[in-house]
Every structure is written in C-alpha cells, then in structure tokens.
Amino acid sequence: MTATAFIPPASVLTVMAHPDDAELWAGGTLALCAAAGADVTIAVPLHPEPRASEAVAGAAVLGAGLHEINEPTAAAVRERLLDTRPEVVLTHPLRDVHPDHRRIAEAVLEALPEVVIATGCPRRVYTTDTYNSLTLDGPVHAHTTVDITSTWASKQRALAAHASQPIAEHFGPMAETLGRLWGARVGVAFAENFVPLPILGRLPTAVTL
C-alpha cells in the first residue's frame, strides 16, 4: 500500500467519545482537510471543565469547529448528521477496546441508515485508529492511509491543548509511534489510517477520504 495525493472531501464530521480523541486518532487528517478548505466539525459529548475548554482549543488548532452533544445517543448523532450533511464521517472502531468508544461508534452506526436514505449523506464513513492499533478483534487493518507529515506539528499542538490529560507521558508518545508506523508502511514520515464502514451495503470507491 502506498500513499496517494490527498484529495480532501468537501466536509467532514468526526464523532468521538472524548475531547482529545479527534486530535489523537485523526488530527493530522482533519488539519489537512481544513487547510484545503473543507468544512470540518468535531462532535463530542459534553464534558465538564477543563475538558470543555480544551476541546475548543484543540479543535481551533486543527481549523475545525466543535459541537458538543448532550448525550451520546443515536438520536443526538442523527440530529447532527441531518444538520451538517457531511460528505465524510469519522468515528471509532466498532470493536474498540474502550467502552465509551464502542458506544459512540454504535450510535453512529444506528443513526446512519435513516439519514443516508433521507439525505444521501454521508457519502463515506470511516473508523479511525485506536490504542496501539489493537481492537477487541485484533489489529486495525491497513486501508486508507493518509500522509500527515505536513500537518504533524499541528496534530502535536492540538494534542498539547488537552493539558488535563497525560499527553506528554502517554498519548503523545503513542501518537508518534502510530504516526511513524503508518508512515513507514506507505513510505512517508507520519500517517494516519482509516477503515471504511459499509453504508447500506456499499463501500467507498475513493482511495482517499
């Protein structure tokens, strides 16, 4: 598998469980999309301070808007999808090791059919990486691997905005390990990987997001 020239979608909605998840698993790609003029939104459940302010700061570094979901339910996700009608949706692996991640991914999956039938959006849905690229079913499969070398510094700054979390001690080093691993697989310095989910039985033909 080799990296190809990145073709950004017109809009991306990232639905995640925690304020630092979008930065950790897709920050470089979201920054690429925003820099190319895409409408990028991060949706996460409402968290108390300081995490709420950190979420705003991290999204701003990536050039993304932030939407806080009151409850991580399929109904809340459905409403956000109907409001934004994104071309691409990113969320956690359905078999992520973190139960909060699984619940959000399941809410997205439950919301999709009705919204896609009604609006035709999203056109493509992908799951992100996870802790050391290991799900409950084994390693994350290599599929759509995006070169984020040019936005690696932005990803690091966005992660650093989450000062209440163990970024320097834990998440930052893991992000670098994963970034270098995916990058090595496609011959670049840093990369992020995404795996498509079928929408009403169809998978994307696009080789990039």
Side-chain angles (χ1 to χ4, degrees), residues 43-105:
V44 293
L46 183 64
H47 281 69
E49 294 295 349
R51 300 210 72 183
S53 294
E54 292 170 353
V56 173
V61 172
L62 300 179
L66 180 74
H67 178 81
E68 293 178 313
I69 300 172
N70 288 331
E71 294 184 8
T73 63
V77 173
R78 186 180 302 113
E79 181 180 352
R80 183 84 321 234
L81 290 170
L82 289 170
D83 285 345
T84 58
R85 301 193 180 190
E87 181 179 347
V88 169
V89 166
L90 306 178
T91 192
H92 297 286
L94 288 166
R95 293 286 286 164
D96 199 292
V97 295
H98 197 304
D100 290 348
H101 295 186
R102 292 198 301 273
R103 281 190 285 269
I104 281 287

Side-chain angles (χ1 to χ4, degrees), residues 6 8-9 12 14 16 20-36 38 40 42 58-59 61-64 90 128-129 144-159 175-176 178-179 182 190-194 209:
F6 183 70
V12 183
T14 304
M16 294 288 173
D20 56 350
D21 281 331
E23 291 88 334
L24 182 55
W25 310 121
T29 301
L30 295 178
L32 273 179
C33 291
V40 178
I42 297 169
V61 172
L62 300 179
L90 306 178
T128 64
D129 207 355
T144 302
T145 306
V146 178
D147 180 1
I148 62 162
T149 305
S150 65
T151 54
W152 174 250
S154 295
K155 174 174 174 137
Q156 286 183 302
R157 290 196 304 273
L159 274 173
E176 181 163 357
L178 293 175
W182 290 115
F190 295 99
E192 291 169 340
N193 184 71
F194 304 91
L209 288 184

